[in-house]
């Protein structure tokens, strides 16, 4: 394969231009590209030629072909160059001493290795570029070629970085495999697909069966094309929590100012990558990412950046470009085997490759065994064919020959005889989940708690390293230095932070070769070390990376079935992490598995089961599965009540959860009654200054707010805020939550300026403490923009902020989450108010669909959304249709909430408006009088809702030509609006212009 590059233009100074052919192994493409780039800068022309002549072609003929162009040839020499083929040393020496010596004037060479090259390479006079800077390397290259070093350069735009210079950000890319073989066409096709992709859509998924080499191919791509990127970031993606945590860790590496909350970090990183600020050339590798559904909110986009995915899921084709990764071609298989096991001949290598179906992982293991034992290939083939394998019957092993699986068994037996400690560590590793394994955590377990076969770990660090080295040599694991590097902070790596990587197929095979007795012994060790590694602080965002690391190993270790109190506490802490970090789907799945296991040995009403139910209920509510949470909590409450004399604290916890369920199901009166009972009991049992009691107090205020009793809610929220500031701290998350609650109460009471002033401070504190993308901060920011809208802030700025916030809600929660639907409704109301009816209608329909699905058709919010839809219809001139919708919303909400609820009063305001616009003037006036009377009684004479009702009545009276009463009501309304909201507030100005008021539903759930 060759790519011709030509210089353009000529300098003012006479300069002799030459052409060079640069022959290189694919492994050294970055160097070849840099050499070409530098020569072109001096007005020479180059041809890049990836050189890997077929093994059956004589080397002399291959070198002769390079001279056909008539140009000088630059050979890029490295350890790889002399492994091409692979060919024996004698064949290389023969052609070096013969053909190349005779044509020495046509060949030049650069050396990229600090190892000793074949002695005969001296004929090429290779110039050493190993470990020198760019300027020195350029000078040495030009000098070796006999070219002037002071010739006028021409400026070349873009281009690759000097290969010895690392990228600005380099994150956890696996070490380059020195035995990587072949795959040249795949690598070049991958680069071509990423380069040619549409603007902003440069992503490609490598898909194929386990063990086919997807991750190795991605790692080689990252190393080979590193000079083309400023940022290279590797993200283990087989578990959503690990993916998100690792993704978020890129934020500080990019120098982005951001908090510790993962969702916020991801949003900021995606935006930075999209803009190309601070770096436009980036490569993100998502290794083992099978969850296609998460692509919309996680996959980065950007003009000059690339995303590379490895996956077993072929459904990626619906989202990104897909490149199928096949097995080795036969010559690649043979080359790999011969490169790893030097005593293997070409014929023998091909026979082994055929036996293993050219699957890279199987060949890797076979080559390791042949190399370590120096076993003749004939003996090896006899053993794998004659030995009965115990590894049949698992889907994970499909695509692997019987001989491949038998070979694993032979290798383990050999390793057990030569390095028994290595097998002990390997057995321990299989009691974790496959992938990244924090095996060094075993050093945190007291020696007395280790089984005899592992007791040596505590006092034999040399044996520890030797055992791991043996596993690496046999290609069973790879070492991962991330944990050690992070823990040592630049010092010596600690064994306690040692991490390894085990392929899922190796994990499966080794697990099948382990006896049940041994497996349970080592699972107990892993459970103990997971408990020892638990920070015990799942509410602290700084500890979330540790919980993300522990969580995938709970089930393989048997932790979910453990009766040990500390292990159970770790399981619950991992569940709490899922809740706090927003990993709701993962958390619910974990809770279901835990419930299944604990139900086998715990009473349904036990304290642990209550804790599990409470955690799962919280997760389900955050997911929008309100009915499921209700049934779960109701069942637990019934069990506790049926127990006779249940623990009062347990009963309190269960009743509080049940009351929250009632709230989300729209049963506001029932929720308030139960929350008050819970608070009364909590004050007696736990005391007024208990953390949970304060939460109960907050929940009572929430229930009052949902019933439209805003002043009462405000009194309780202010008291809760005062207590939290005193007992916790002003910057505690719970205190900030109370601050938002108070501002929301003020806004709903119509005290817009007071609400805005309070919420501005609360948001600043949220940003400082929790970060911009924390769910609680998002809610605070949403309340702030609503305060600004109600206070009459500049609508262009309000609109810009709302559009940005909606995008962030979608990134944090997803487009169909109920919290996103709540804010989408608020933004749609704004859009309708300012004339964008089409987008407003679209957003309202999307939100209404979510509410119908999540809450049901009879929920107050679902019913109230009809009134918002009616406003769009009315603005579009569809007056009859709008009136019908208004009347339906009014009747539906009145039936569930009663005629005095503020939402019902708002629907009545719109219904009267609809009647008036449809010439039902008497009906409109009658409804307006009733609405005004009820609003004065429920909300007070100066509340904006009351004044809107009064202004609406004025319009109806004028329509009926009752001008005297209309003037009287209008004067009173204008005075009150001016006094309470100000002369320049939009409500006041609209009333002066006799624009009929309306009401739009904020679809809040709290």
């Amino acid at each position: 394969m060759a790519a011709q590059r030509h210089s353009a233009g000529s300098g003012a100074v006479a300069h002799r231009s030459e052409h060079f052919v640069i022959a290189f192994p694919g492994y050294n493409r970055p160097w070849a590209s840099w050499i070409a780039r530098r020569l072109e800068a001096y007005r020479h022309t180059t041809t890049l030629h990836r050189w890997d002549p077929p093994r059956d072609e004589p080397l002399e003929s291959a070198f002769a072909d390079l001279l056909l162009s008539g140009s000088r040839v630059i050979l890029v020499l490295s350890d790889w160059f002399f492994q091409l083929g692979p060919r024996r040393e004698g064949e290389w020496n023969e052609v070096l001493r013969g053909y190349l010596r005779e044509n020495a004037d046509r060949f030049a060479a650069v050396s990229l290795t600090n190892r000793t090259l074949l002695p005969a390479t001296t004929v090429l006079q290779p110039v050493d570029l190993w470990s020198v800077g760019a300027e020195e390397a350029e000078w040495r290259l030009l000098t070796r070629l006999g070219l002037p070093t002071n010739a006028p350069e021409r400026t070349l735009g873009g281009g690759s970085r000097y290969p010895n210079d690392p990228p600005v950000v380099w994150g956890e890319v696996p070490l380059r495999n020195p035995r990587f073989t072949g795959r040249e066409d795949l690598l070049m096709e991958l680069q071509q697909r990423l380069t040619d992709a549409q603007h902003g859509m440069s992503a490609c998924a490598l898909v194929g069966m386990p063990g086919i080499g997807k991750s190795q191919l991605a790692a080689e791509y990252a190393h080979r094309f590193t000079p083309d990127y400023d940022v290279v970031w590797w993200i283990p993606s087989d578990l959503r929590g690990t993916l998100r945590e690792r993704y978020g860790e890129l934020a500080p590496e990019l120098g982005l100012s951001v908090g510790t909350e993962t969702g916020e970090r991801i949003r900021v990183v995606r935006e930075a990558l999209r803009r190309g600020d601070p770096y436009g050339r980036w490569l993100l590798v998502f290794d083992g990412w099978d969850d296609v559904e998460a692509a919309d909110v996680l996959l980065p986009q950007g003009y000059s950046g690339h995303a590379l995915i490895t996956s077993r899921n072929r459904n990626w084709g619906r989202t990104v470009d897909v490149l199928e990764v096949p097995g080795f071609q036969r010559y690649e298989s043979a080359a790999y085997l011969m490169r790893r096991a030097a005593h293997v001949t070409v014929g023998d290598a091909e026979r082994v490759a055929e036996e293993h179906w050219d699957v890279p992982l199987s060949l890797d293991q076979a080559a390791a065994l042949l190399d370590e034992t120096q076993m003749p290939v004939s003996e090896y083939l006899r053993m794998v064919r004659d030995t009965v394998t115990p590894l049949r019957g698992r889907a994970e092993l499909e695509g692997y020959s019987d001989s491949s699986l038998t070979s694993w068994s032979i290798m383990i037996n050999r390793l057990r005889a030569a390095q028994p400690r290595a097998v002990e560590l390997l057995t321990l590793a299989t009691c974790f989940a496959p992938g990244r394994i924090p095996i060094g955590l075993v050093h945190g377990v007291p020696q007395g708690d280790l089984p005899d076969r592992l007791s040596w770990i505590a006092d034999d660090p040399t044996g520890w390293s030797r055992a791991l080295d043996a596993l690496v040599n046999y290609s069973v694991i790879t070492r991962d230095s991330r944990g050690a590097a992070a823990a040592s902070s630049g010092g010596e790596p600690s064994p306690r932070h040692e991490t390894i990587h085990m392929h899922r197929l190796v994990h499966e095979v080794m697990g099948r070769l382990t006896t049940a007795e041994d497996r349970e012994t080592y699972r107990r060790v892993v459970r103990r070390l997971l408990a020892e590694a638990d920070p015990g602080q799942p509410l602290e965002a700084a500890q979330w990376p540790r919980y993300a690391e522990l969580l995938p190993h709970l089930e393989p270790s048997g932790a979910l079935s453990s009766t040990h109190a500390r292990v159970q506490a770790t399981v619950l802490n991992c569940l709490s992490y899922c809740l706090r970090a927003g990993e709701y789907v993962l958390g619910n799945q974990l809770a279901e598995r835990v419930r299944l296991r604990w139900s086998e040995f715990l009473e349904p009403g036990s304290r642990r089961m209550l804790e599990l139910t409470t955690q799962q209920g919280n997760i389900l509510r955050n997911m929008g599965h309100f009915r499921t949470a209700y049934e779960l909590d109701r069942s637990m409450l019934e069990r506790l009540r049926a127990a006779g004399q249940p623990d009062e604290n347990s009963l309190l916890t269960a009743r509080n959860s049940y009351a929250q369920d009632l709230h989300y199901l729209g049963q506001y009166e029932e929720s308030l009654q139960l929350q008050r009972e819970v608070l009364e009991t909590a004050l007696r049992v736990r005391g007024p200054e208990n953390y949970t009691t304060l939460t109960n107090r907050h929940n009572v205020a929430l229930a009052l707010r949902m019933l439209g009793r805003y002043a009462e809610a405000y009194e309780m929220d202010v008291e809760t805020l005062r207590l939290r500031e005193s007992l916790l701290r002003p910057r505690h998350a719970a205190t900030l939550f109370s601050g938002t609650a108070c501002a929301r109460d003020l806004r709903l009471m119509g005290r817009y300026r007071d609400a805005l002033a309070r919420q501005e401070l609360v948001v600043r504190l949220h940003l400082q403490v929790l970060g911009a993308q924390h769910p609680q901060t998002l809610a605070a920011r949403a309340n702030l923009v609503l305060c600004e809208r109600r206070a009459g802030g500049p609508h262009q700025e309000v609109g810009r902020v709302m559009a940005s916030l909606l995008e962030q809600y979608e990134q944090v929660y997803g487009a169909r989450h109920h919290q996103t639907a709540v804010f989408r409704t608020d933004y749609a109301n704004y859009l309708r108010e300012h004339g964008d009816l089409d987008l407003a209608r679209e957003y309202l329909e999307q939100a209404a669909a979510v509410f119908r699905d999540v809450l049901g058709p009879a929920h107050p919010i679902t019913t109230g959304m009809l009134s918002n839809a009616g406003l769009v219809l009315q603005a579009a001139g569809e007056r009859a249709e709008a009136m019908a919708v208004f009347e339906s919303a009014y009747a539906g909400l009145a039936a569930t909430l009663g005629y005095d609820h503020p939402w019902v009063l708002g629907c009545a305001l719109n219904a009267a408006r609809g009647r008036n616009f449809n010439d039902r003037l008497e009906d409109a006036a009658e409804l307006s009088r009733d609405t005004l009377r009820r609003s004065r009684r429920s909300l007070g004479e100066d509340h904006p809702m009351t004044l809107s009702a009064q202004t609406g009545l004025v319009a109806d009276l004028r329509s009926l030509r009752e001008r005297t009463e209309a003037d009287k009501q209008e004067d009173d309304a204008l005075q009150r609006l001016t006094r309470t909201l100000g002369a320049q507030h939009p409500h006041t100005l609209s009333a002066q212009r006799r624009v009929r008021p309306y009401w739009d539903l904020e679809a809040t759930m709290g």
Side-chain angles (χ1 to χ4, degrees):
M1 181 190 73
Q4 181 74 38
R5 300 185 178 197
H6 296 286
S7 299
S10 59
V13 180
H15 177 70
R16 184 174 61 88
S17 177
E18 292 189 49
H19 182 266
F20 295 90
V21 174
I22 305 172
F24 63 96
Y27 194 82
N28 296 127
R29 172 171 288 276
W31 278 100
S33 298
W34 178 82
I35 291 170
R37 195 78 179 164
R38 296 319 304 147
L39 291 175
E40 289 174 3
Y42 285 84
R43 303 182 185 279
H44 302 289
T45 59
T46 63
T47 297
L48 287 177
H49 184 81
R50 177 171 59 81
W51 196 65
D52 188 6
R55 190 173 48 250
D56 55 1
E57 178 184 0
L59 268 179
E60 184 172 316
S61 298
F63 278 115
D65 289 344
L66 291 175
L67 298 181
L68 292 177
S69 68
S71 305
R72 278 202 287 173
V73 178
I74 302 173
L75 301 178
V76 180
L77 305 183
S78 66
D79 300 338
W80 266 92
F81 190 89
F82 294 105
Q83 293 181 26
L84 295 175
R87 301 170 187 266
R88 301 305 182 194
E89 185 175 316
E91 185 178 357
W92 281 105
N93 279 328
E94 182 179 347
V95 75
L96 285 166
R97 292 166 180 160
Y99 185 82
L100 288 181
R101 182 173 178 273
E102 294 170 0
N103 295 276
D105 60 324
R106 299 285 305 279
F107 288 94
V110 298
S111 173
L112 305 178
T113 179
N114 63 346
R115 298 182 183 179
T116 303
L117 296 173
L118 294 176
T121 55
T122 55
V123 70
L124 298 170
Q125 301 178 32
V127 59
D128 185 11
L129 301 187
W130 169 261
S131 195
V132 299
E135 291 186 7
E136 175 66 14
E138 180 176 316
W139 183 85
R140 291 186 183 187
L141 172 67
L142 295 173
T143 301
R144 170 62 184 86
L145 297 175
L147 301 174
T149 59
N150 59 350
E153 291 189 49
R154 65 190 182 97
T155 302
L156 299 176
S160 299
R161 188 177 52 253
Y162 180 56
N164 274 352
D165 293 341
V168 181
V169 177
W170 176 263
E172 280 190 54
V173 180
L175 296 176
R176 196 171 192 184
N177 183 359
R179 302 187 183 97
F180 185 87
T181 300
R183 306 296 204 181
E184 295 293 341
D185 292 338
L186 274 175
L187 285 164
M188 295 313 300
E189 182 176 356
L190 176 58
Q191 186 207 31
Q192 196 68 43
R193 290 195 184 193
L194 289 173
T195 303
D196 293 346
Q198 297 179 14
H199 174 80
M201 293 295 293
S202 299
C204 186
L206 301 173
V207 300
M209 61 178 275
I212 207 67
K214 303 182 293 294
S215 297
Q216 286 290 329
L217 188 63
E220 176 61 22
Y221 179 89
H223 284 282
R224 186 170 295 193
F225 294 99
T226 289
D228 296 339
Y229 300 102
D230 299 313
V231 175
V232 181
W233 197 252
W234 189 276
I235 303 175
S237 307
D238 50 346
L239 189 69
R240 174 182 162 87
T242 305
L243 184 161
R244 286 169 54 81
E245 290 293 340
R246 178 64 183 148
Y247 201 155
E249 288 172 2
L250 180 55
E253 297 293 332
L254 295 177
L256 303 176
S257 179
V258 67
T260 58
E261 200 278 319
T262 303
E264 174 198 0
R265 286 185 166 198
I266 291 174
R267 187 198 69 80
V268 171
V269 167
R270 287 189 78 210
E271 179 62 18
L273 297 178
R274 185 189 66 77
R275 296 194 318 268
D277 181 18
Y279 307 109
R281 304 189 311 168
W282 47 262
L283 172 67
L284 265 60
V285 182
F286 297 88
D287 186 34
W289 193 5
D290 293 333
D291 182 12
V292 179
E293 302 304 321
D296 289 344
V297 295
L298 292 175
L299 196 63
Q301 296 182 357
Y303 179 76
S304 56
H306 297 156
L308 182 55
I309 300 159
T310 72
S311 180
R312 295 171 297 169
N313 190 346
R314 287 175 170 79
N315 288 329
W316 276 108
R318 301 198 304 260
T319 305
V320 300
D321 194 12
V322 165
L323 182 59
E324 182 79 24
V325 180
F328 275 150
Q329 297 184 51
R330 183 56 51 83
Y331 78 89
E332 292 174 324
S333 299
Y336 179 81
L337 285 162
M338 294 174 67
R339 187 169 290 131
R340 180 75 187 271
H343 68 287
V344 175
T345 65
V346 174
D348 286 342
E350 290 180 343
R351 283 192 291 275
V352 173
E354 182 178 8
E355 197 72 27
H356 291 290
W357 299 354
D358 295 297
V359 176
L361 185 64
S362 294
L363 292 172
D364 186 31
Q365 183 275 321
L369 181 59
L370 288 167
D371 182 47
E372 289 293 319
T373 63
Q374 292 297 299
M375 183 189 303
V377 169
S378 58
E379 180 183 347
Y380 170 80
L381 291 175
R382 179 186 58 77
M383 292 178 65
V384 297
R385 289 168 179 168
D386 295 346
T387 305
V388 178
T389 177
L391 299 174
R392 300 268 47 87
R394 292 297 292 269
E396 291 88 343
L397 306 181
E398 290 181 4
Y400 289 83
S401 66
D402 290 349
S403 296
S404 295
L405 302 174
T406 302
S407 185
W408 284 101
S409 180
I410 295 171
M411 183 271 290
I412 295 299
N413 289 333
R414 293 267 179 167
L415 191 58
R416 183 175 284 111
Q419 289 276 2
R421 287 182 172 180
V423 176
E424 301 297 342
L425 284 187
L426 185 58
T427 305
L428 180 67
T430 60
C431 296
F432 291 85
R436 187 170 180 269
I437 298 173
I439 197 167
L441 292 177
V442 71
H443 290 278
V445 178
Q447 186 174 15
D449 293 336
L450 293 172
D452 292 340
R453 285 174 290 179
L454 291 177
S455 61
W456 56 272
I457 290 176
D459 50 20
D460 189 1
T462 302
W464 168 267
S465 296
R466 190 162 50 244
L468 288 177
D469 288 342
L471 296 176
V472 171
N473 292 338
Y474 273 91
S475 295
V476 178
I477 65 167
T478 56
R479 266 181 147 142
D480 179 354
S481 60
R482 178 192 180 196
S488 60
S489 301
E492 289 297 319
S494 166
R496 186 166 184 172
H497 298 93
E498 183 102 43
T499 58
I500 61 174
H501 189 278
M502 179 183 286
H503 193 280
R504 66 175 60 250
L505 184 73
V506 179
H507 185 274
E508 170 67 21
V509 170
M510 188 59 202
R512 298 291 301 277
L513 294 173
T514 303
T515 66
E517 181 181 358
D518 285 348
R519 190 166 184 80
E520 185 50 38
T521 297
Y522 289 100
R523 282 163 59 129
R524 280 197 296 270
V525 174
V526 175
R527 292 196 291 270
R528 178 62 188 273
L529 67 86
L530 293 176
E532 293 287 345
D534 178 6
Q537 297 175 311
L539 306 187
E540 297 293 334
Q543 299 297 342
W544 291 351
R546 169 49 61 93
Y547 284 107
E549 180 182 53
L550 299 181
L551 194 146
H553 306 295
L554 295 178
E555 187 158 21
S557 68
L560 304 189
S561 302
S562 176
T563 59
H564 195 282
R566 285 195 63 189
V567 177
Q568 290 178 350
T570 296
V571 171
L572 289 171
N573 283 341
C574 287
L575 198 56
S576 181
Y577 148 74
C578 291
L579 171 65
R580 300 296 175 174
E583 300 294 345
Y584 304 133
V585 175
L586 185 64
N588 189 47
Q589 292 171 346
L590 174 61
E592 283 297 316
R593 295 197 299 271
V594 174
R595 182 175 301 281
L596 182 65
R597 305 304 203 293
W598 284 6
S599 295
E600 297 174 359
F601 57 85
L602 288 177
E603 291 296 324
S606 66
R607 182 66 187 173
R608 283 294 193 209
M609 290 297 285
L610 174 62
E611 292 173 352
L612 171 63
T613 298
T614 302
Q615 294 271 32
Q616 188 175 9
N618 289 333
I619 290 173
L620 288 168
R621 282 189 291 275
N622 277 281
M623 294 174 69
H625 297 173
F626 303 122
R627 177 61 62 177
T628 306
Y630 168 81
E631 296 295 342
L632 187 69
D633 292 328
R634 182 179 61 82
S635 178
M636 173 57 72
L637 183 57
E638 288 176 353
R639 287 194 189 98
L640 291 175
R641 285 171 171 166
Q645 291 183 328
D647 173 69
E648 204 158 18
N649 277 296
S650 296
L651 193 59
L652 260 179
T653 300
R655 294 174 72 201
N656 179 65
S657 296
Y658 184 61
Q660 291 183 66
D661 296 325
L662 293 174
H663 162 83
Y664 283 104
L665 292 175
Q667 300 178 37
Y668 303 134
E669 285 284 1
E670 296 88 340
S671 177
L672 174 60
Q673 180 180 345
L674 185 53
Q675 289 286 13
R676 278 184 160 159
E677 293 173 5
V678 168
L679 177 58
E680 182 180 345
T681 307
L683 289 168
R684 175 174 53 81
V685 174
R686 297 169 176 166
E689 298 182 350
N690 177 269
Y691 182 93
T692 307
T693 303
L694 294 178
T695 301
N696 300 142
R697 181 185 292 276
H698 173 90
N699 290 340
V700 171
L702 172 60
L704 287 167
R705 187 185 311 129
M706 295 307 295
L707 286 168
R709 296 160 65 173
Y710 303 136
E712 294 176 69
Y714 179 64
E715 290 179 6
M716 289 210 72
D717 279 327
V718 167
E719 179 64 11
T720 305
L721 175 62
R722 184 189 66 77
L723 289 169
R724 281 177 166 170
E725 286 178 336
S726 173
L727 300 172
L728 301 173
R729 60 182 187 273
R731 295 167 64 89
H732 190 281
T735 307
L736 299 180
F737 201 48
S738 285
T740 295
C742 289
R744 185 176 287 115
D745 295 332
L746 288 169
R747 176 170 58 79
L748 294 173
M749 292 165 65
R751 295 169 56 180
Y752 298 144
R753 284 175 292 189
D754 291 342
L756 178 59
R758 181 183 287 273
Q759 191 64 20
E760 284 175 337
L761 174 60
V762 171
V763 167
R764 284 199 298 271
L765 291 174
H766 270 87
L767 293 171
Q768 294 169 10
V769 175
L770 298 176
Q773 290 304 110
H774 191 282
Q776 185 173 315
T777 307
L778 274 183
R781 294 168 65 197
N783 188 52
L784 176 61
V785 76
L786 291 177
C787 289
E788 290 171 337
R789 181 187 174 209
R790 298 304 182 193
H795 78 85
Q796 296 93 341
E797 178 64 16
V798 169
R800 183 190 66 79
V801 172
M802 293 188 87
S804 175
L805 268 176
L806 178 58
E807 179 183 351
Q808 293 172 50
Y809 264 94
E810 291 177 343
Q811 291 170 345
V812 171
Y813 288 107
R816 289 193 54 80
H817 193 275
H818 64 276
Q819 294 287 11
T820 305
V822 168
F823 192 76
R824 193 186 301 277
T825 300
D826 294 330
Y827 187 36
N829 290 335
Y830 166 85
L831 291 169
R832 184 215 70 248
E833 185 177 55
H834 294 283
D836 194 341
L837 299 185
D838 290 339
L839 189 56
R841 188 194 302 266
E842 177 185 344
Y843 279 179
L844 285 174
E845 289 174 352
Q846 291 173 1
V850 172
F851 293 136
R852 285 193 300 271
D853 183 49
V854 171
L855 303 175
H859 193 282
I861 289 178
T862 309
T863 305
M865 286 291 289
L866 294 173
S867 200
N868 288 342
L871 290 172
V872 174
L873 290 170
Q874 194 171 67
E878 302 173 43
R879 294 187 171 186
E881 295 84 350
M883 185 181 69
V885 172
F886 288 146
E887 297 287 359
S888 179
Y890 175 47
L893 275 185
T896 56
L897 299 179
Y899 285 95
D900 291 339
H901 192 285
W903 291 4
V904 179
L905 296 173
C907 287
L909 183 73
N910 291 341
R913 193 173 193 254
R915 294 176 185 182
N916 183 286
F917 287 2
N918 283 274
D919 295 326
R920 290 176 51 185
L921 304 182
E922 292 287 351
D923 291 342
E926 180 183 354
L927 182 55
S928 290
R929 289 186 189 278
D930 184 65
T931 303
L932 177 59
R933 182 175 63 255
R934 291 180 182 278
S935 187
R936 281 173 171 166
R937 183 174 64 229
S938 299
L939 298 171
E941 292 192 344
D942 291 334
H943 191 279
M945 175 68 77
T946 304
L947 299 178
S948 291
Q950 190 171 4
T951 305
L953 175 60
V954 169
D956 293 328
L957 292 172
R958 292 196 184 284
S959 296
L960 293 171
R961 303 183 184 280
E962 298 180 17
R963 294 187 177 90
T964 301
E965 185 180 358
D967 289 343
K968 180 180 178 182
Q969 292 283 3
E970 184 176 53
D971 289 343
D972 182 64
L974 285 173
Q975 289 178 19
R976 292 178 184 278
L977 283 168
T978 303
R979 183 173 64 250
T980 57
L981 299 180
Q984 299 304 310
H985 190 278
H987 287 1
T988 307
L989 297 176
S990 293
Q992 289 173 348
R993 293 193 294 266
R994 295 180 176 174
V995 176
R996 181 150 193 156
Y998 58 83
W999 171 83
D1000 48 38
L1001 172 74
E1002 293 176 10
T1004 180
M1005 297 188 187

